[in-house]
Amino acid sequence: MGDAWERGRRVLAGAGLPPDALARVRTLTGGTYNTVEELLLTDGSRYVLKIPPAPAAPGLRYERRLLVAEAAFCAGAAEAGVPAPHAVSVGEDALPPHLLMTACPGSPWTEVAPAGAERAELRRELGRQVARLHRVTGPGHGYPSGALGPLAPDWPTAFTAMTDAVLADARDHGAPLPRPADEVAAVIRGAAAALDEVTVPVLVHFDLWPGNILVERPAAGQARIGGLIDGERMFWGDPLADFVSLALLGDIREDEAFLAGYREAGGHVAFDAAARVRLALYRAYLYLIMITETIPRAAGEDHVRWVMDTVAPELTAALGDIEELC
């Protein structure tokens, strides 16, 4: 606790907040990459501190400078008027490197487990919020962190770089892909024409699974979305890409409440042939990440077994859909 306490005080001071107001430091679980801590101040305000692994720690190519990407997400969410953390300070060159953010109210969707009418209304609200996020545009396509190089002038170039990077990671780490990496690359490249329809780079969170959606249940009134968190994997690209994690290992077309809210807030979505190809491409990309990251993160046996039993078949299915549709 001593190291965490001193680190918290140092970060608060660097952000212009009173270090002597630190009342508690609590490690938060659920993340799989950064160290995450909650800093509670004596006035009751809460902050979230993220600390990346050491530069020499194994990881995937796109994971460099993730805190820069999360700060960009926070700024975009603020522009959109969507509940999300506010970046207080980004210390890339500080000791330790860190991102300090405000904490959002609520508990993860996975813990709250809303059901019935409450779940439908929350999914509808979530759809409206994601549609507002998708109105925020960026200066180019790809990861704002620069982890894979400068932003690209077009989406096909950016997405090709993204998939090439994760396939290079898969080769480097010997990831157990269900099809050879070169074969996967050929399938993805064969569908590149479908990406030409994307001309405006919008804010894509790309990790909106239920664990990153906070639900707040106030003492009076109905439940609401308290915050969209962990935006460190955001990129500028195709809004359809967000629909993959929003229906993780499922089909967003079955989420009628979410789609209704998304359209209410001005989001446009049509599941025509080209859109289905792009969705399959983004499914393949996410599942490639999920399989490959188990190696550098030294995932436990149970998680690896789940990934191979559950995620690997979904990658195979996504590649099959691309081949069938193209």
Side-chain angles (χ1 to χ4, degrees), residues 73 100 105 140 156 195 223 225-226 293:
F73 168 75
L100 181 67
L195 302 171
I225 303 296
E293 69 186 8

Side-chain angles (χ1 to χ4, degrees), residues 2 34 38 49 92 217 252:
N34 295 303
E38 179 191 67
L49 176 63
E92 272 200 285
R217 283 197 173 119
I252 194 66

Side-chain angles (χ1 to χ4, degrees), residues 243-303:
F243 291 177
V244 177
S245 60
L246 282 160
L248 189 62
L249 304 172
D251 188 341
I252 194 66
R253 291 174 292 182
E254 298 175 0
D255 195 339
E256 296 178 1
F258 171 85
L259 292 174
Y262 188 79
R263 291 180 173 120
E264 283 172 9
H268 173 74
V269 57
F271 298 106
D272 55 18
R276 294 199 302 274
V277 172
R278 299 199 323 269
L279 274 173
L281 286 168
Y282 308 143
R283 284 163 48 212
Y285 179 56
L286 179 59
Y287 301 148
L288 282 167
I289 291 173
M290 292 175 70
I291 294 171
T292 303
E293 69 186 8
T294 62
I295 308 302
R297 294 185 185 178
E301 288 185 14
D302 289 345
H303 182 70

Side-chain angles (χ1 to χ4, degrees), residues 26 38 46 103-114 122 209-218 223-229:
R26 181 169 67 99
E38 179 191 67
R46 295 185 303 126
C104 291
S107 301
W109 185 293
T110 47
E111 296 178 10
V112 176
L122 285 169
W209 72 290
N212 287 338
I213 300 165
L214 300 185
V215 175
E216 181 186 12
R217 283 197 173 119
R224 59 191 176 220
I225 303 296
L228 306 182
I229 63 172

